[in-house]
């Protein structure tokens, strides 16, 4: 039996998947026992993990509101994960009713859930490691006009690329396809504030590894863009609109928003 272009047996539920672990940490229900076990192991290895993913989600919402507030009306969200509410298009619609969103993820389960829930947006099954295929995908292009500014979202996804995947080249390919006035919203896990080798070990048994990077390494992903204040910061401290949660200084996520000038 095929669903949305793939067979049910192609969905791997024997290994934890980052999107489903993330869903579990956010308090969602679209996950399996293997994902819940991995989530608990992650909390043991990095006690701030749950508040970290929630702070990362809050950063995403603030960043989307900011970018849509500048006039951008289309969003390309790569590595969208499971559509936990409030999701990207719900957040964007709070600012502008004419927003268009294309969601991209490489997990068939994400594709199935998102396809059922996101009826007013586009959802594409594709892999960030092949950015040209994403840019050329007809379903992406049915939603996104690359001659107009785009908000490119790479939130909590680049750390699942190894250095061998050449993440800087991947981001550069995506950047070069964007019109001036486009924005990049990116967040990335780090080990700058504590030894998180235990967290990396949890993901070594998942469908994608976790590759922690320093702030300097993460800042390089914004090459060709102009960072807006406060630059790359721990996610609770990027333009907070409420008091940061307890233990925010421990949260191992950086986030930033930048604009493409030319």
């Amino acid at each position: 039996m095929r669903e949305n272009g793939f067979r049910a047996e192609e969905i791997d539920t024997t290994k934890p998947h980052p999107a489903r672990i993330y869903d579990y940490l956010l308090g969602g229900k679209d996950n399996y026992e293997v994902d819940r076990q991995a989530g608990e192991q992650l909390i043991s290895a990095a006690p701030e993990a749950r508040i970290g993913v929630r702070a990362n989600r809050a950063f995403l919402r603030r960043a989307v509101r900011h970018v849509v507030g500048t006039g951008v009306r289309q969003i390309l969200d790569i590595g969208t994960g499971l559509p936990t509410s409030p999701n990207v298009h719900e957040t964007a619609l709070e600012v502008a009713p004419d927003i268009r969103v294309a969601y991209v993820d490489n997990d068939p389960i994400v594709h199935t859930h998102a396809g059922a829930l996101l009826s007013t947006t586009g959802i594409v099954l594709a892999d960030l490691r092949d950015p040209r295929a994403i840019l050329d995908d007809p379903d992406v292009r049915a939603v996104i006009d690359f001659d107009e500014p785009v908000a490119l979202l790479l939130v909590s996804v680049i750390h699942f690329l190894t250095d061998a995947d050449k993440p800087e080249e991947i981001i550069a390919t995506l950047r070069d396809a964007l019109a001036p006035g486009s924005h990049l919203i990116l967040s990335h896990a780090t080990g700058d504030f504590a030894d998180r080798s235990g967290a990396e070990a949890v993901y070594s048994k998942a469908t994608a590894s976790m590759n922690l990077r320093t702030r300097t390494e993460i800042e390089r992903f914004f090459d060709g863009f102009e960072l807006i204040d406060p630059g790359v910061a721990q996610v609770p401290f990027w333009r907070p609109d409420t008091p940061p949660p307890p233990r925010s200084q421990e949260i191992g996520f950086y986030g930033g928003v930048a604009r493409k000038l030319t």
Side-chain angles (χ1 to χ4, degrees):
M1 175 178 166
R2 298 185 73 85
E3 179 157 5
N4 294 319
F6 56 85
R7 295 186 301 275
E9 59 266 26
E10 291 174 31
I11 301 175
D12 185 0
T13 60
T14 64
K15 292 183 178 180
H17 188 283
R20 302 192 303 262
I21 297 171
Y22 196 84
D23 177 74
Y24 172 69
L25 294 174
L26 285 172
K29 62 182 186 306
D30 296 319
N31 49 72
Y32 295 88
E33 180 61 27
V34 67
D35 307 306
R36 294 188 283 274
Q37 291 175 356
E40 289 301 320
Q41 291 167 6
L42 185 61
I43 291 168
S44 295
E48 80 288 355
R50 181 163 273 138
I51 61 170
V53 299
R54 292 175 179 175
N56 186 60
R57 191 76 181 181
F59 157 77
L60 168 62
R61 296 196 69 213
R62 296 195 304 276
V64 166
R65 286 196 296 265
H66 168 79
V67 171
V68 175
T70 70
V72 175
R73 291 295 178 268
Q74 43 185 4
I75 297 173
L76 177 58
D77 182 4
I78 302 177
T80 179
L82 288 153
T84 305
S85 185
N87 49 50
V88 167
H89 77 271
E90 290 171 335
T91 299
L93 286 169
E94 295 171 3
V95 182
D98 55 343
I99 199 75
R100 303 191 306 278
V101 182
Y103 289 105
V104 178
D105 203 280
N106 70 346
D107 182 9
I109 291 179
V110 170
H111 188 265
T112 300
H113 282 277
L117 296 175
L118 306 177
S119 58
T120 61
T121 62
I123 174 69
V124 174
L125 185 66
D127 197 304
L128 177 58
R129 294 172 181 82
D130 189 356
R132 192 71 253 170
I134 294 173
L135 295 168
D136 293 338
D137 189 283
D139 290 330
V140 169
R141 290 192 169 264
V143 177
I144 303 296
D145 177 1
F146 286 101
D147 291 328
E148 298 294 329
V150 176
L152 170 63
L153 274 58
L154 297 172
V155 175
S156 194
V157 64
I158 298 297
H159 50 236
F160 295 118
L161 299 180
T162 67
D163 290 343
D165 292 320
K166 300 181 179 179
E168 291 181 47
E169 292 183 16
I170 289 170
I171 296 172
T173 298
L174 296 167
R175 178 200 65 215
D176 291 347
L178 302 178
S182 295
H183 286 72
L184 170 63
I185 299 174
L186 183 148
S187 69
H188 193 295
T190 185
D192 279 0
F193 308 103
D195 178 3
R196 289 295 173 250
S197 54
E200 289 181 296
V202 172
Y203 282 95
S204 70
K205 302 172 185 175
T207 58
S209 63
M210 171 75 79
N211 303 278
L212 303 178
R213 294 183 173 95
T214 66
R215 179 176 176 173
T216 299
E217 291 172 319
I218 294 164
E219 286 175 334
R220 287 200 287 267
F221 295 141
F222 291 93
D223 285 353
F225 295 89
E226 181 180 71
L227 280 160
I228 67 169
D229 289 338
V232 174
Q234 281 176 277
V235 288
F237 306 115
W238 191 92
R239 299 194 176 195
D241 52 10
T242 59
R247 301 179 65 182
S248 286
Q249 297 284 356
E250 303 172 33
I251 289 174
F253 276 99
Y254 285 119
V257 178
R259 185 171 184 265
K260 184 178 179 182
L261 299 180
T262 60

